[in-house]
Amino acid sequence: PKTPYSVCGCYGEGLVSKIMDSGEKHLFSPSVQLLGHKSDVYTTRFSPSGDLLASAGNDRQILIWDIFDPQCKNTLSFKGHGSSILEVSWARDSSTLFSCSADKTFSSWDLAEGVRIKKFRGHEGVVNSVDASQTGSEIAVTAGDDFAVKLWDLRAKAAVMEQKMNYQVTTVRFGPANEYIFFGGLDNQIRAWNIKANTIEFSLIGHEDTITGIALSNDGKKLLSNGIDNTARSWDLKPFALDQNRCLKVFEGGMHNFERNLLRCCWGPNDKYVSVGSADKIVYIWNYDTEAIWGKLMGHNGSVNETHFNPRYPIVASASSDRTVFLGEIPQLI
């Protein structure tokens, strides 16, 4: 079904500029507001192909958007979770989407058929985070309020490996080549789980409050994290780096508030920029090398819960508690 949309010219405060038609793919307008969700939007992700966008949140539905359609058409709507959807993750070939929910499950969805493939049960609490392998392997990892991080073979019924902690785990990501799983939560640290050895090999220490999001850099050498201490940090993942020297950069400006939402973070094209969600309704983008704020994108009327850069085009998306998703085309990102 088609979903209404409108254009919000204030998004980007001048950073979002008019694009001349050069035969390349562009949004129909430099900034686009996507309407269709009935409650807070917690997560949004571009497909690896760059042509589709998924969004989901408190209304328990996943909307799939064709971002280069003349009307930014909502092409699919997935329903089936019994509570809020907290994160989505795409398979590498863009054919499958994964979602995790406060209903204690995560699911896989078939984009071609428009149906749920499978519901995975095993967590005993809210599932806060899900990440699909980008190496072609049929595996995914989840983390939840039940203190558990679980590794799943998508062909099996139950998780194949698990790390049980003594705190709620809020975010999880595969490392390069799936050798490690990185996760963080209420103990303010990021831990590196060596899958082959099935041990916690090292920790990334520096945040002073709960970690709400982590993201692997495009080159696989660094990790980005966001914390309720109002800092985002990058970390050195080289195997032989000294643990106390792994924090590379600190980015300040993004805000958390009393809601303590799981505000996610992401890397920009070629790892030149980083961005985080922020409770002050602003999308912050930093220049990675200088650690300076490169731009502030405004237009949302609620907490920005997740930002995501398109992997192929100079477009950024943001999901907000104001029930909307914004898209902005920013040529300067290239």
Side-chain angles (χ1 to χ4, degrees):
K2 292 184 178 179
T3 301
Y5 65 86
S6 64
V7 177
C8 180
C10 64
Y11 186 61
E13 282 201 318
L15 288 174
V16 180
S17 57
K18 190 66 178 176
I19 312 296
M20 299 302 293
D21 184 9
S22 61
E24 299 178 355
K25 285 186 175 182
H26 297 294
L27 299 178
F28 77 89
S29 176
S31 58
V32 180
Q33 186 183 44
L34 304 178
L35 306 178
H37 284 286
K38 301 174 182 177
S39 190
D40 300 24
V41 188
Y42 295 137
T43 179
T44 190
R45 298 284 180 84
F46 288 105
S47 63
S49 67
D51 295 324
L52 299 175
L53 182 77
S55 60
N58 195 48
D59 62 2
R60 300 178 293 178
Q61 64 175 333
I62 303 168
L63 300 182
I64 307 296
W65 310 86
D66 181 350
I67 66 169
F68 296 119
D69 179 84
Q71 295 183 333
C72 256
K73 186 166 58 177
N74 171 210
T75 60
L76 278 175
S77 175
F78 291 123
K79 297 180 180 180
H81 278 296
S83 191
S84 299
I85 298 167
L86 301 179
E87 193 167 47
V88 295
S89 178
W90 291 86
R92 185 177 66 169
D93 63 1
S94 301
S95 67
T96 307
L97 184 74
F98 299 89
S99 60
C100 66
S101 171
D103 67 5
K104 306 179 184 180
T105 71
F106 85 100
S107 293
S108 57
W109 308 86
D110 187 312
L111 271 291
E113 299 296 328
V115 297
R116 176 155 55 186
I117 301 169
K118 192 173 181 179
K119 178 189 285 189
F120 297 84
R121 296 179 174 89
H123 279 282
E124 297 176 356
V126 172
V127 187
N128 292 310
S129 187
V130 61
D131 192 37
S133 168
Q134 297 301 304
T135 66
S137 303
E138 292 189 53
I139 56 175
V141 63
T142 55
D145 280 357
D146 58 355
F147 307 166
V149 181
K150 294 177 180 286
L151 179 65
W152 305 80
D153 182 331
L154 301 175
R155 298 160 296 187
K157 184 176 181 180
V160 294
M161 295 181 72
E162 176 181 283
Q163 282 287 334
K164 196 75 171 179
M165 312 308 293
N166 59 1
Y167 57 88
Q168 294 165 308
V169 187
T170 54
T171 181
V172 65
R173 290 291 181 273
F174 281 109
N178 295 344
E179 294 178 0
Y180 291 89
I181 290 172
F182 296 94
F183 60 89
L186 270 65
D187 80 331
N188 311 342
Q189 299 183 26
I190 301 167
R191 301 184 190 274
W193 175 13
N194 183 317
I195 300 175
K196 186 175 181 179
N198 195 21
T199 59
I200 303 298
E201 193 162 296
F202 61 90
S203 297
L204 306 176
I205 301 172
H207 279 290
E208 297 177 357
D209 207 334
T210 298
I211 296 162
T212 61
I214 57 176
L216 183 69
S217 62
N218 297 293
D219 65 11
K221 297 178 180 179
K222 301 179 290 294
L223 198 72
L224 180 68
S225 60
N226 192 26
I228 293 181
D229 59 1
N230 295 330
T231 68
R233 296 169 182 262
S234 67
W235 307 87
D236 187 351
L237 297 184
K238 290 196 293 291
F240 302 108
L242 296 175
D243 287 2
Q244 62 268 30
N245 296 327
R246 286 186 181 272
C247 185
L248 299 172
K249 295 181 183 292
V250 179
F251 306 92
E252 297 181 334
M255 300 295 294
H256 290 253
N257 64 11
F258 66 93
E259 295 176 321
R260 298 177 71 88
N261 284 358
L262 298 182
L263 307 183
R264 310 301 190 177
C265 55
C266 66
W267 294 86
N270 302 314
D271 298 328
K272 294 180 179 178
Y273 305 95
V274 295
S275 181
V276 301
S278 183
D280 63 1
K281 312 175 187 178
I282 298 173
V283 175
Y284 288 88
I285 300 175
W286 289 268
N287 180 300
Y288 180 76
D289 290 333
T290 66
E291 300 177 49
I293 293 176
W294 180 83
K296 298 179 182 180
L297 309 185
M298 302 180 184
H300 280 296
N301 293 314
S303 172
V304 177
N305 298 315
E306 181 162 33
T307 63
H308 197 239
F309 290 98
N310 192 297
R312 297 183 60 190
Y313 307 99
I315 300 171
V316 62
S318 55
S320 172
S321 294
D322 66 6
R323 307 183 181 186
T324 73
V325 176
F326 266 113
L327 297 174
E329 188 161 4
I330 309 175
Q332 298 95 319
L333 288 174
I334 297 179

